[in-house]
Amino acid sequence: MQRVTVSVHAEDPISRSGVESQLRARPDLWVIEPGRETSESVSLVVVDVLDESAIRLLRRLHRTGPAKLVLVPARIDDAGLSQAVEHGVVGLVRRTEASAERLSHIVLAVARGEGALPADLLGRLMAQMGRLQRQVLEPRGLTLLGLSTREVDVLRLVADGLDTREIAGKLSYSERTVKNVLHDVTSRLQLRNRAHAVAYALRNGLI
């Protein structure tokens, strides 16, 4: 069995040793020391609240550590949830729900590349993102993924099978403008070509 390596970062040694002992009982997990993580590892960050000290730890781990981050807070509010996601957290489990089985499930899900948030927190996060889109990004012609509405319009028509001339006619742009829009998107997002740009937009629900 290929075990997932997991490390525990905590504000106090008792919390750390308690979580580690739960994880060591799982045959599919291998507990390692902080600092020995690889890109395949998962790091659990155990905190009471997401205060400035916890944010600094998340920021450091996100910037310098290769592991995927799971937050285990005693409590968290909407602002803390946004900050956690901003600093690389891809999974979260409340400490009151952090049984050995629940922690193992979250770690394995995150190791597979999945996100893992409690349903109520996911709903709150989506509501925050919706407000951000409506109140901040849309007035500036942007989307959450950094594409302008003009870029989304062009990609939608590419997905419909239109060529450059037809897209220009539909949107009342010059052909050069359409080519520039597509070049900007593929360059900025490091996409290979038009088809890759369309696939990106489809995968992220933009078109």
Side-chain angles (χ1 to χ4, degrees), residues 36-112:
R36 294 183 55 203
E37 300 93 345
T38 70
S39 59
E40 305 300 317
S41 302
V42 176
S43 287
L44 295 181
V45 181
V46 184
V47 298
D48 286 328
V49 295
L50 206 61
D51 56 15
E52 187 55 40
S53 175
I55 289 292
R56 282 198 301 270
L57 174 58
L58 286 178
R59 184 183 299 121
R60 178 176 62 80
L61 293 175
H62 183 47
R63 288 180 177 174
T64 63
K68 305 169 185 71
L69 299 180
V70 172
L71 185 65
V72 187
R75 54 190 183 278
I76 190 165
D77 58 16
D78 287 355
L81 181 60
S82 292
Q83 287 183 300
V85 173
E86 180 183 345
H87 290 90
V89 169
V90 293
L92 186 147
V93 57
R94 295 180 178 92
R95 290 178 71 166
T96 54
E97 301 167 353
S99 64
E101 186 164 342
R102 183 64 180 151
L103 286 173
S104 175
H105 175 79
I106 293 286
V107 168
L108 294 174
V110 167
R112 291 192 300 267

Side-chain angles (χ1 to χ4, degrees), residues 14-33:
I14 294 177
S15 295
R16 179 182 166 191
S17 62
V19 173
E20 286 180 340
S21 67
Q22 290 194 72
L23 298 175
R24 285 196 179 98
R26 309 296 299 191
D28 41 10
L29 301 180
W30 177 28
V31 178
I32 60 175
E33 289 291 317

Side-chain angles (χ1 to χ4, degrees), residues 74-194:
R75 54 190 183 278
I76 190 165
D77 58 16
D78 287 355
L81 181 60
S82 292
Q83 287 183 300
V85 173
E86 180 183 345
H87 290 90
V89 169
V90 293
L92 186 147
V93 57
R94 295 180 178 92
R95 290 178 71 166
T96 54
E97 301 167 353
S99 64
E101 186 164 342
R102 183 64 180 151
L103 286 173
S104 175
H105 175 79
I106 293 286
V107 168
L108 294 174
V110 167
R112 291 192 300 267
E114 302 170 12
L117 289 177
D120 63 312
L121 292 184
L122 180 60
R124 283 158 51 187
L125 181 62
M126 295 300 292
Q128 288 182 58
M129 294 301 100
R131 288 193 296 272
L132 173 64
Q133 178 71 44
R134 292 190 304 273
Q135 299 171 8
V136 179
L137 298 178
E138 283 181 2
R140 293 167 172 77
L142 298 173
T143 67
L144 283 169
L145 292 171
L147 292 180
S148 69
T149 51
R150 181 170 74 165
E151 290 168 340
V152 171
D153 288 341
V154 169
L155 288 176
R156 185 176 292 116
L157 293 176
V158 172
D160 288 340
L162 278 65
D163 62 23
T164 301
R165 180 180 57 79
E166 292 168 325
I167 294 171
K170 281 271 190 183
L171 299 177
S172 299
Y173 296 157
S174 69
E175 291 185 42
R176 178 178 292 277
T177 296
V178 173
K179 290 177 181 177
N180 287 342
V181 167
L182 289 169
H183 179 268
D184 288 346
V185 170
T186 54
S187 298
R188 188 172 72 250
L189 300 177
Q190 298 182 330
L191 304 171
R192 293 186 296 277
N193 48 40
R194 290 187 180 199

